[in-house]
Amino acid sequence: DTAVSQTPKYLVTQMGNDKSIKCEQNLGHDTMYWYKQDSKKFLKIMFSYNNKELIINETVPNRFSPKSPDKAHLNLHINSLELGDSAVYFCASSQGPFSPLHFGNGTRLTVT
Amino acid sequence: EDQVTQSPEALRLQEGESSSLNCSYTVSGLRGLFWYRQDPGKGPEFLFTLYSAGEEKEKERLKATLTKKESFLHITAPKPEDSATYLCAVQASGSNYQLIWGAGTKLIIKP
């Protein structure tokens, strides 16, 4: 059973399009995250939700909007995609904000 | 400014050749330091959490240690399956829950 699953694994799209990435966790965790990993492998936090409430909202363009319909899901919607949005996006969850993270296997987004 | 630096960027070892990876940090106060392993095409996988200087944690061929300025991940008699990128992350006190990540050390173990 996959603990944190995100879809799709690969996403190739053109500039200006709108796309979504879905994430689901079956660990019963209260906190979920979206991270961006750039070509240099740095992980940067984008958003965090605790019990469906936004607790971290880093400085990302407002073209990125997270949505948490329930505790087990945190989706990421991206409007008007740009070349610089190309990266690997990871969803993660944890028992609480100070607990270890469990990551999904990432979505490789390529904007052409 | 809170910062995490990992060294070396890459490390090639022969199977059985022990070594250490370094994670140095500067934060106003340490809540916890985390080690993760990341395989190509996968998400990071949690290894250890260390909370205070002098603490040590072990798992198979890996041992993590912590001082007030840095953490080491010691790898004893590594095998090819230990090849991966090892990431260090620090959670500072009063950090609004955020983790500060290092860029990782890519470890290659040759048979």
Side-chain angles (χ1 to χ4, degrees):
Chain A
D1 286 345
T2 304
V4 181
S5 59
Q6 51 183 111
T7 55
K9 186 168 178 61
Y10 299 98
L11 186 52
V12 181
T13 188
Q14 291 185 328
M15 286 175 56
N17 285 348
D18 303 339
K19 291 292 178 185
S20 292
I21 306 172
K22 294 185 176 182
C23 179
E24 175 182 5
Q25 56 96 3
N26 63 7
L27 297 167
H29 287 166
D30 290 336
T31 310
M32 295 187 73
Y33 311 79
W34 277 109
Y35 275 88
K36 179 180 180 180
Q37 189 171 44
D38 60 25
S39 56
K40 295 185 177 180
K41 302 296 184 183
F42 267 110
L43 277 163
K44 296 179 182 177
I45 183 77
M46 300 175 70
F47 303 103
S48 176
Y49 273 74
N50 188 51
N51 276 321
K52 294 173 54 181
E53 183 181 342
L54 183 66
I55 58 171
I56 295 175
N57 184 3
E58 277 303 287
T59 307
V60 299
N62 57 15
R63 299 180 294 103
F64 290 79
S65 55
K67 284 188 170 53
S68 182
D70 55 57
K71 249 177 46 168
H73 295 84
L74 181 62
N75 303 323
L76 183 66
H77 188 75
I78 315 170
N79 289 328
S80 303
L81 278 155
E82 300 178 357
L83 292 175
D85 297 333
S86 295
V88 181
Y89 293 84
F90 285 101
C91 176
S93 72
S94 66
Q95 186 62 46
F98 303 115
S99 301
L101 303 179
H102 295 254
F103 284 85
N105 282 330
T107 295
R108 181 173 293 277
L109 172 65
T110 303
V111 183
T112 61
Chain B
E1 182 186 349
D2 296 338
Q3 196 170 353
V4 175
T5 304
Q6 290 189 246
S7 60
E9 284 188 21
L11 182 61
R12 293 174 184 269
L13 300 171
Q14 288 293 135
E15 183 173 0
E17 182 184 358
S18 301
S19 188
S20 297
L21 313 182
N22 178 264
C23 171
S24 62
Y25 61 92
T26 49
V27 295
S28 50
L30 181 69
R31 178 180 284 278
L33 184 143
F34 301 81
W35 281 100
Y36 289 81
R37 167 193 171 127
Q38 186 173 21
D39 292 298
K42 304 280 188 181
E45 178 186 347
F46 170 70
L47 293 173
F48 305 108
T49 310
L50 301 167
Y51 294 103
S52 57
E55 190 175 359
E56 297 183 354
K57 294 270 179 76
E58 279 189 75
K59 180 180 179 180
E60 296 181 358
R61 295 175 292 282
L62 299 176
K63 184 167 91 171
T65 62
L66 181 65
T67 72
K68 289 187 177 180
K69 293 182 179 180
E70 59 193 348
S71 176
F72 290 95
L73 185 64
H74 306 278
I75 302 174
T76 303
K79 299 181 178 181
E81 54 262 41
D82 294 322
S83 298
T85 296
Y86 290 85
L87 298 167
C88 170
V90 165
Q91 198 163 46
S93 303
S95 64
N96 193 27
Y97 315 121
Q98 288 191 48
L99 286 173
I100 305 159
W101 292 83
T105 293
K106 184 174 183 178
L107 177 66
I108 299 169
I109 308 298
K110 296 180 285 185

